[in-house]
């Protein structure tokens, strides 16, 4: 039996030129919530919000509109199961082309797919969100962000069978603060560049997180053959407990059963920092940077890292084509190469070496 617990959904808008959209969303969310609590049978599992619609007159707007599930006859107290009539209630919400949206105080339990997705959104703030799904349920990302700009996620707890938070294609200014994640697949940028596609992700930050029993901790994954970049990414103040792959950049990501051929193009990875990351690793390789030969990772930065083994053994780092620097105490010992060393190996002249020199001269 699935349950949905919805306390309050609040939306505000700031009387901007985009506010007309917000109002449409509110109307749709009203309808959707009504469906949630009254009759979920046959209702589409994902709410798709349209880009234009019923209300064009902005005079209907108030500064802040708060929607309460109580208005639809449910208890909404966080204790009562508001969806008793709905076996298999939809608990996933997709916001498409939203602007100036605030979502807070929302608890969903056990969706069978992504819980909350933002695609092509601008200026979104999500806070006090609680997502729970069984650890063995696939494709149940907590929050998925795609082609969106200026998204703030604060005080989020995610426990699912897939990524806690995933950030993909063409997203920028994504800021995460106080995130609790586990079990699940961790916090992920990517996958990017699948099927030779272009992806541009930049200005992403995470400040304050606790990850436990997750399959990955902080991850960036790209496919061979893509183009574009993932850059200006900061992870800091993260506590990990028994995390497999606590720090991982994988530019050879491939989830098909047959191996993906290596290609000369790749989504490039540049300016990624990891600061104050502590805790335990469930695997020996606690820091893994597997970067592309044609587009090596550049300007990686590690500061104050302590990742010991959860089972009492040792941990180590693995690097392939990973360039940058580190400072402070780092365990396991870092393996990223500095720019100076790159000049030293520039005796051969193939295309890979050329990239390294470019970096060394920056
Ligand atoms: C969130 O919900 C809790 C409990 O229902 C309530 O006490 C609190 O005021 C709500 N916060 C906001 C910002 O709506
Ligand atoms: C990302 O942006 C690029 C360039 O504007 C575009 O070609 C590509 O299709 C976009 N990708 C996605 C998934 O939106
Ligand atoms: C991606 O590009 C490579 C090289 O041009 C080509 O061999 C491959 O078939 C392309 N893959 C897809 C999914 O289009
Ligand atoms: C990224 O952040 C820098 C400042 O750190 C800012 O100058 C730049 O405009 C931002 N770019 C995007 C696409 O948000
Ligand atoms: C640690 O993680 C491993 C791998 O995910 C898992 O098998 C093991 O049960 C976890 N240990 C604890 C104490 O949770
Ligand atoms: C791709 O290149 C990497 C790094 O050289 C290598 O480890 C891997 O085996 C290659 N994969 C394939 C499918 O050739």
């Amino acid at each position: 039996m699935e349950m949905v617990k919805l306390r309050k959904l609040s939306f505000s808008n700031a009387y901007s030129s985009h506010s007309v959209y917000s109002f449409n969303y509110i109307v749709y969310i009203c309808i959707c919530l009504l469906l949630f609590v009254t009759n979920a049978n046959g209702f589409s599992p994902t709410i798709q919000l349209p880009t234009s619609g019923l209300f064009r007159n902005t005079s209907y707007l108030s500064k802040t509109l708060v929607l309460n599930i109580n208005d639809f006859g449910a208890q909404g107290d966080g204790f009562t199961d508001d969806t008793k009539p709905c076996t298999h209630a939809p608990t996933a919400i997709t916001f498409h082309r939203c602007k100036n949206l605030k979502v807070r105080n929302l608890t969903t339990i056990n969706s069978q797919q992504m819980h909350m997705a933002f695609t092509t959104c601008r200026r979104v703030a999500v806070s006090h969100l609680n997502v729970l799904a069984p650890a063995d349920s696939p494709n149940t990302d907590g929050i998925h962000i795609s082609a969106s700009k200026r998204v703030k996620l604060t005080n989020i707890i995610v426990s699912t069978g897939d990524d806690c938070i995933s950030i993909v294609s063409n997203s920028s200014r994504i800021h995460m603060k106080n995130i609790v994640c586990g079990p699940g697949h961790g916090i992920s940028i990517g996958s990017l560049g699948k099927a030779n596609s272009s992806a541009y992700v930049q200005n992403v930050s995470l400040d304050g997180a606790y990850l436990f029993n997750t399959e990955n901790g902080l991850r960036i994954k790209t496919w061979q053959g893509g183009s574009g970049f993932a850059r200006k990414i900061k992870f800091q103040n993260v506590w990990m407990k028994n995390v497999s792959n606590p720090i991982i950049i994988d530019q050879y990501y491939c989830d098909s059963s047959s191996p993906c051929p290596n290609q000369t193009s790749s989504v490039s990875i540049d300016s990624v920092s990891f600061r104050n990351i502590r805790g335990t690793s469930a695997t020996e390789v606690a820091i893994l940077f597997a970067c592309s030969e044609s587009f090596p990772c550049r300007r990686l930065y590690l500061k104050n890292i302590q990742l010991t083994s959860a089972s009492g053994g040792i941990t180590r780092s693995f690097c392939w084509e990973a360039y940058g620097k580190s400072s402070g105490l780092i365990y396991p010992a870092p393996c990223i190469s500095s720019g100076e060393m790159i000049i030293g190996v520039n005796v051969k002249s193939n295309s890979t070496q050329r990239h390294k020199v470019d970096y060394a001269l920056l």
Side-chain angles (χ1 to χ4, degrees):
M1 163 81 180
E2 281 182 67
M3 301 198 301
V4 187
K5 288 186 183 177
L6 295 167
R7 285 193 195 119
K8 250 183 210 175
L9 259 178
S10 329
F11 302 84
S12 13
N13 65 67
Y15 281 121
S16 75
S17 56
H18 309 301
S19 49
V20 65
Y21 291 113
S22 305
F23 194 64
N24 288 336
Y25 299 147
I26 289 158
V27 171
Y28 272 79
I29 287 288
C30 285
I31 294 165
C32 297
L33 291 180
L34 188 59
L35 289 168
F36 265 22
V37 297
T38 55
N39 177 18
N41 290 337
F43 179 58
S44 155
T46 300
I47 299 162
Q48 286 287 351
L49 299 166
T51 56
S52 63
L54 306 171
F55 295 88
R56 285 255 157 237
N57 187 342
T58 51
S59 68
Y60 284 104
L61 294 164
S62 65
K63 210 169 214 159
T64 303
L65 276 168
V66 177
L67 272 182
N68 194 326
I69 193 97
N70 292 340
D71 300 342
F72 303 108
Q75 294 296 307
D77 57 7
F79 298 103
T80 314
D81 175 3
D82 290 336
T83 56
K84 286 248 162 66
C86 324
T87 34
H88 308 299
T91 49
I93 306 177
T94 295
F95 294 93
H96 181 60
R97 307 194 83 172
C98 59
K99 277 175 181 155
N100 302 322
L101 178 69
K102 277 190 189 175
V103 177
R104 65 183 180 217
N105 257 12
L106 179 65
T107 300
T108 62
I109 296 180
N110 197 8
S111 165
Q112 282 169 1
Q113 56 187 302
M114 275 174 204
H115 288 81
M116 185 164 282
F118 296 93
T119 68
T120 328
C121 285
R122 301 287 176 272
R123 287 188 290 273
V124 171
V126 182
S127 63
H128 302 93
L129 177 73
N130 199 341
V131 176
L132 302 167
D136 58 0
S137 51
N139 303 315
T140 51
D141 285 6
I143 301 179
H144 182 74
I145 296 168
S146 169
S148 296
K149 294 185 179 18
R150 297 192 185 213
V151 178
K152 259 191 198 164
L153 308 176
T154 320
N155 300 325
I156 311 284
I157 301 174
V158 182
S159 168
T160 69
D162 212 305
D163 292 335
C164 288
I165 296 171
S166 55
I167 298 166
V168 300
S169 65
N170 303 354
S171 294
S172 60
R173 300 196 192 187
I174 312 296
H175 302 296
M176 299 168 274
K177 203 169 162 61
N178 301 340
I179 311 292
V180 175
C181 167
H185 292 186
I187 295 170
S188 203
I189 296 177
S191 64
L192 305 175
K194 188 175 185 174
N196 301 344
S197 63
S198 311
Y200 304 88
V201 172
Q202 64 182 327
N203 292 14
V204 175
S205 72
L206 167 72
D207 185 1
Y210 173 54
L211 296 106
F212 60 96
N213 294 341
T214 51
E215 202 176 283
N216 302 281
L218 310 170
R219 171 164 65 159
I220 303 176
K221 53 178 180 176
T222 69
W223 294 74
Q224 289 279 296
S227 59
F229 53 71
R231 69 187 185 197
K232 296 186 184 166
I233 295 162
K234 290 182 190 174
F235 298 104
Q236 63 180 354
N237 303 322
V238 179
W239 179 255
M240 311 223 187
K241 191 179 169 196
N242 195 40
V243 169
S244 309
N245 310 312
I247 292 179
I248 173 169
I249 295 181
D250 181 6
Q251 291 202 276
Y252 297 88
Y253 182 71
C254 176
D255 71 0
S256 73
S257 47
S258 52
C260 300
N262 279 335
Q263 297 184 42
T264 48
S265 75
S266 178
V267 176
S268 70
I269 293 181
D270 190 350
S271 302
V272 182
S273 63
F274 300 88
R275 289 182 178 85
N276 304 327
I277 316 285
R278 283 156 220 271
T280 58
S281 174
T283 58
E284 190 176 318
V285 179
I287 302 177
L288 193 159
F289 297 131
C291 300
S292 156
E293 294 190 347
S294 37
F295 291 87
C297 296
R298 312 199 297 181
R299 284 178 281 243
L300 301 179
Y301 181 61
L302 296 172
K303 184 177 183 184
N304 298 338
I305 314 276
Q306 276 294 309
L307 291 165
T308 56
S309 167
S311 56
I314 57 148
T315 54
R316 59 189 176 90
S317 301
F318 173 86
C319 291
W320 186 257
E321 300 291 342
Y323 298 93
K325 60 183 182 179
S326 55
S327 71
L329 189 64
I330 317 270
Y331 179 81
C335 53
I336 45 181
S337 312
S338 67
E340 290 76 13
M341 285 165 68
I342 298 166
I343 291 174
V345 298
N346 185 36
V347 281
K348 297 172 232 150
S349 70
N350 59 36
S351 65
T352 304
Q353 300 297 343
R354 230 172 20 246
H355 278 288
K356 291 176 187 172
V357 173
D358 290 348
Y359 173 47
L361 298 175
L362 283 170

